[in-house]
Amino acid sequence: MPNVIDKDWIAAFPALQALDEADLHRLAAGSHRLSLPAKRTIFGAGTAPDHHLLLLSGNVRVQQIAENGREIVLYRVSAGESCVMTTAFLLAGLEHHAEGIAETAVEAVAVPRTLFDDMLARSAVFRRFVFDTYSRRMTDLFLVIEEVAFRRLDIRLAQLLLRRAGDSKHVHSTHQQLATELGSTREVVSRQLQEFQRRDWLRLGRGEISLLDTAAIRALAETQ
């Protein structure tokens, strides 16, 4: 009995539905699904990528770790997206300079490197899909660089607190996790949080921050 080829996942990536039948069959037949638990390291610095990953569900955090141990979150990959770092290093034949961590349980499709190269060479539709995604994510990376280099930490911290709180008034996070998001150090972020607490904007707890004056935090977050 012939193997059943899984093409259902293609629907999660609308641009790939424009592939002709032969290329669609080739891509689906040569790829395979992966299920990864939360907190799993998907790729690490110094490892060469051997697959192009397309996320079906879950979130992956891509971060850079400096020699001194300082971390910065570069971006996140969500359902319907691929990882620009993996794409770049597949194209260049280089090892990863960052690491990808599953923040939640992840479902993905892995396209082996040989198939990835073959599809790039033969299919204009696949090339457009890869490079359109790559271009959009590079824009996001430039925004991260701009924020870290030029925007005040207190403003970025206020924005992050509001984003993480969502509709609630509680942020479940350590100071180190916030520092990693902001590309700063735990000590600097802790000092700024303590200043917000001194102003009665929030209350600090163990692994939790309670927002007391969201209007004041929002006013700072919207500062130009």
Side-chain angles (χ1 to χ4, degrees):
M1 182 176 180
N3 292 329
V4 177
I5 296 174
D6 177 15
K7 297 182 181 180
D8 292 346
W9 63 266
I10 299 286
F13 304 92
L16 291 180
Q17 296 182 59
L19 288 168
D20 64 39
E21 189 60 32
D23 284 335
L24 192 153
H25 181 89
R26 185 176 291 106
L27 178 61
S31 304
H32 59 274
R33 291 196 187 223
L34 295 175
S35 295
L36 302 170
K39 299 184 180 179
R40 168 72 63 85
T41 298
I42 297 174
F43 58 83
T47 61
D50 54 6
H51 287 82
H52 183 63
L53 287 182
L54 304 173
L55 230 64
L56 298 174
S57 66
N59 290 289
V60 175
R61 181 179 72 252
V62 180
Q63 61 187 30
Q64 180 87 43
I65 303 179
E67 290 182 1
N68 61 7
R70 182 170 165 183
E71 302 174 7
I72 179 172
V73 175
L74 300 175
Y75 57 88
R76 285 178 168 81
V77 187
S78 301
E81 299 178 339
S82 59
C83 176
V84 68
M85 287 287 185
T86 301
T87 302
F89 296 132
L90 274 172
L91 291 171
L94 299 174
E95 296 178 342
H96 282 293
H97 294 167
E99 64 178 8
I101 310 292
E103 290 192 311
T104 64
V106 165
E107 295 286 334
V109 170
V111 182
R113 180 173 193 153
T114 52
L115 177 58
F116 175 78
D117 290 342
D118 181 56
M119 291 295 296
L120 278 180
R122 74 167 56 243
S123 171
V125 171
F126 189 78
R127 281 197 301 276
R128 268 197 310 275
F129 167 74
V130 169
F131 288 113
D132 283 353
T133 304
Y134 184 86
S135 299
R136 287 196 300 272
R137 187 59 74 186
M138 286 302 295
T139 300
D140 293 342
L141 280 175
F142 282 124
L143 290 176
V144 170
I145 294 169
E146 179 182 349
E147 284 196 350
V148 172
F150 303 117
R151 299 197 68 185
R152 283 169 34 191
L153 179 70
D154 58 343
I155 295 174
R156 294 195 294 124
L157 177 57
Q159 292 169 340
L160 179 59
L161 290 172
L162 292 172
R163 208 161 52 239
R164 293 288 293 271
D167 295 331
S168 74
K169 291 191 175 183
H170 301 281
V171 177
H172 299 281
S173 180
T174 66
H175 295 192
Q176 180 58 61
Q177 288 168 337
L178 294 175
T180 298
E181 294 276 349
L182 295 167
S184 185
T185 64
R186 182 185 58 78
E187 293 77 14
V188 171
V189 169
S190 292
R191 283 197 297 271
Q192 190 62 65
L193 287 170
Q194 288 162 7
E195 173 59 21
F196 287 176
Q197 182 170 250
R198 187 190 67 78
R199 300 180 193 176
D200 293 326
W201 290 4
L202 52 76
R203 181 173 61 251
L204 299 175
R206 184 178 294 276
E208 181 179 88
I209 300 168
S210 300
L211 307 187
L212 305 178
D213 191 343
T214 54
I217 297 172
R218 183 166 289 104
L220 175 60
E222 293 174 353
T223 301
Q224 298 298 318

